[in-house]
Amino acid sequence: MDRSWMNASRITEEYENGVEEFLLFAQSKAQPMWGKFFCPCVKCGNGRRQTIDDIRTHLICEGIIRSYTKWIWHGESLDTADMSQADDVTTDSGNPIEEMIHDLGQEGFEEAHAALYDNIEVDSKMPLYSGCISFTKLSAVLALVNLKARFGWSDKSFSELLMLLTNMLPADNILPKNHYQAKKILCPVGMQYEKIHACCNDCILYRDDFAELDYCPVYGVSRYRPTNGDSTVLVSDADHRPAKVCWYLPIIPRFKRLFANGEDAKNLIWHANTRKSDGLMRHPTDSPQWKAIDRLYPEFGAKPRNLRLGLATERMNPFGTLTTNHSSWPVFLFIYNLPPWLCMKRKYVMLSMMIAGPRQPGNDIDVYLRPLIDDLRKLWDEGVDVWDANLQHAFKLRAMVFCTINDFPAYGNLSRYSVKGHHACPICEQNTSFCQLKHGKKTVYTRHRRFLKQYHPYRRLKKAFDGSQEHETAPNPLTSDEVYQWVKDVVNMFGKSQKKPSSTSNMWKKKSIFFDLPYWSDHHVRHCIDVMHVEKNVCDSLIGTLLNIKGKTKDGFKCRQDLVDMGIRQVLHPISKGNRTYLPPACYTMSTAEKRSFVNACVISKSHKATLQTSRVLCL
């Protein structure tokens, strides 16, 4: 069956006919559950079951997964490959088990895991039971483990399922009996990781010069958890449990694995070969910073396979409840060489580090980032030899951190600019315009009209703002060299119990570890704010104010008192009537009926999201 339609535009007749052919194939081959089939759209990803009509809508609105060329979740066997498809699709049409063995069979892997490599190669050719032609031992375990991960099965339920399947299959089957045995079979597929002990006060990692120490050289506390409540007493060898742990997943082997796949290696040079260049900002490649890097480092920029990475970190509660006082910090890497529709996909988001809780590292996060920075420094200074499966030759891979993406508190932790207080803006710095509210007890930042164009009409408005016109221009952001001059002489002191020197004249409290990267001081933009957090916080404030939600609204009695002190918006000033105080309604104040109408409109718009998406496609 011709499947070239999967790469066609979704508004073409070819694509629509292909969708109908796929649905007919699924209805004739796949086994439905309550009349629903797996949906292969890019949103569901074969992880949810939908009706035929919903699948048709999803495939038209969202698009099909282009790499899903073997419809194994819709009744197609792994061994029944279409010969015509094999001529057109070179990467996805082969046996995925063989491709995995090919990826794992690199020289470096064979040297480190020779016995495991032999085992996985044997398992990939061993039938699940005598006469079985559909599954091998490895493919059966892979399929079951994928289902476990997709639907969130517990280890215990997975072991029970394996025991049931073992009893249902012929007696000579070689299916593993429990989850542990299944993990042992798939052990070579995974990548290595490092478990690094850390001081409970976040001052050092027990690696390199500190690897053999049992006490922290700064505080003298034990490396391991105390058994009697005294952290200065060394526990016995049998009770060695680290006080705090950091998991580091080395990035260099993962980059090598990425280039070992021909399709991934081809996607990594998409920005140089396939990207549409029309002067618009469509990709990080079109940004001034990307072009500046190419100009400053022509040798690096001339090779499109050199990676430019985004780094993101965020507080996470692994227990899923806000009442649990626990804070873990994962560190992710994003590869900006990839096309926009792949860059943020789960497959290509690389977890490089997990900083365990229960306390957050805060400004001491640089201590934990040291292993990652060391590898990034190696990738920049020396490079590593990598095999390109797309072009079939080895090359020297180099990489750099393009920027970081965080919310505002994490911005302060990574850059170590003080994002609290009167001068919290890292752009305006000492020129930050602020006002300390007398009644609201908050610091508010004013004079945002400075960032508008010089002749913008809002600059001349008085009553709508603070009663004055704005004639000044926005302050110029500090350049990378200026920031470096501020921080180059700052002495970094890590640890939760150390008293750090304070300075009111310098808002930069430490020299960021990213300045250990030679190119960091040449970046125009080093740290970026995550738009999602800004949108969420602004939306929460707007909805809370519009609906006058208690505890969420930004319009209350104290706010109106602050307006009186500032001498603005006289129509909103509180009015005292006897023992009561009346707050005049604002232009955004809604009645109870209007609030109900607003909420109902939001509910209806959410329920009709799929219909609106279909209409949008039809309009195109």
Side-chain angles (χ1 to χ4, degrees), residues 1-5 13-28 56 71:
M1 181 183 296
D2 181 21
R3 297 175 187 177
S4 60
W5 61 270
E13 186 178 356
E14 176 189 3
Y15 185 86
E16 294 180 0
N17 294 335
V19 169
E20 297 302 328
E21 292 178 2
F22 168 78
L23 295 176
L24 292 176
F25 179 89
Q27 288 177 295
S28 61
R56 180 184 291 108
W71 299 338

Side-chain angles (χ1 to χ4, degrees), residues 64-85:
I64 194 171
I65 304 174
R66 296 188 177 184
S67 61
Y68 183 54
T69 54
K70 278 194 174 181
W71 299 338
I72 57 175
W73 299 106
H74 297 86
E76 184 174 13
S77 172
L78 287 173
D79 299 323
T80 58
D82 192 346
M83 297 306 295
S84 62
Q85 178 187 353

Side-chain angles (χ1 to χ4, degrees), residues 159-173:
S159 297
E160 294 290 337
L161 175 63
L162 290 175
M163 293 179 61
L164 178 62
L165 292 176
T166 301
N167 296 330
M168 294 174 63
L169 293 173
D172 59 344
N173 74 85

Side-chain angles (χ1 to χ4, degrees), residues 350-525:
M350 187 178 299
L351 176 64
S352 61
M353 181 172 289
M354 174 61 75
I355 304 171
R359 293 192 304 176
Q360 64 176 359
N363 296 328
D364 300 321
I365 193 173
D366 286 8
V367 173
Y368 297 93
L369 292 177
R370 174 53 61 185
L372 176 60
I373 296 298
D374 289 344
D375 277 355
L376 290 170
R377 182 69 183 262
K378 179 180 179 181
L379 284 168
W380 176 260
D381 292 338
E382 307 171 14
V384 293
D385 293 325
V386 175
W387 175 258
D388 189 330
N390 180 40
L391 301 180
Q392 294 296 309
H393 67 79
F395 71 100
K396 185 74 71 173
L397 173 66
R398 298 175 64 194
M400 72 182 308
V401 178
F402 188 72
C403 65
T404 69
I405 307 175
N406 319 279
D407 60 1
F408 202 50
Y411 180 111
N413 293 334
L414 291 180
S415 67
R416 201 45 194 109
Y417 182 84
S418 181
V419 295
K420 299 177 181 179
H422 293 168
H423 303 287
C425 177
I427 303 299
C428 302
E429 205 185 17
Q430 297 293 342
N431 295 322
T432 302
S433 178
F434 66 92
C435 177
Q436 188 70 39
L437 299 180
K438 176 181 178 181
H439 301 280
K441 308 297 183 182
K442 293 183 178 181
T443 301
V444 296
Y445 304 98
T446 59
R447 301 188 63 188
H448 302 99
R449 290 179 291 169
R450 292 185 295 173
F451 295 91
L452 296 175
K453 293 181 180 180
Q454 184 175 3
Y455 298 104
H456 197 284
Y458 280 6
R459 282 179 170 269
R460 299 191 300 271
L461 297 181
K462 294 183 179 181
K463 292 184 179 180
F465 295 96
D466 59 355
S468 64
Q469 294 183 350
E470 183 61 70
H471 301 290
E472 293 187 14
T473 58
N476 294 322
L478 294 179
T479 64
S480 302
D481 292 334
E482 291 173 335
V483 173
Y484 183 73
Q485 293 301 320
W486 275 107
V487 303
K488 67 177 182 179
D489 297 327
V490 176
V491 178
N492 290 341
M493 299 179 63
F494 298 112
K496 290 293 187 290
S497 300
Q498 292 201 70
K499 185 176 181 180
K500 303 172 178 62
S502 59
S503 173
T504 57
S505 60
N506 190 358
M507 298 299 295
W508 303 89
K509 302 304 180 183
K510 75 175 181 182
K511 179 183 176 182
S512 174
I513 193 174
F514 290 99
F515 280 105
D516 291 351
L517 302 172
Y519 50 82
W520 193 249
S521 58
D522 295 323
H523 282 354
H524 294 167
V525 179

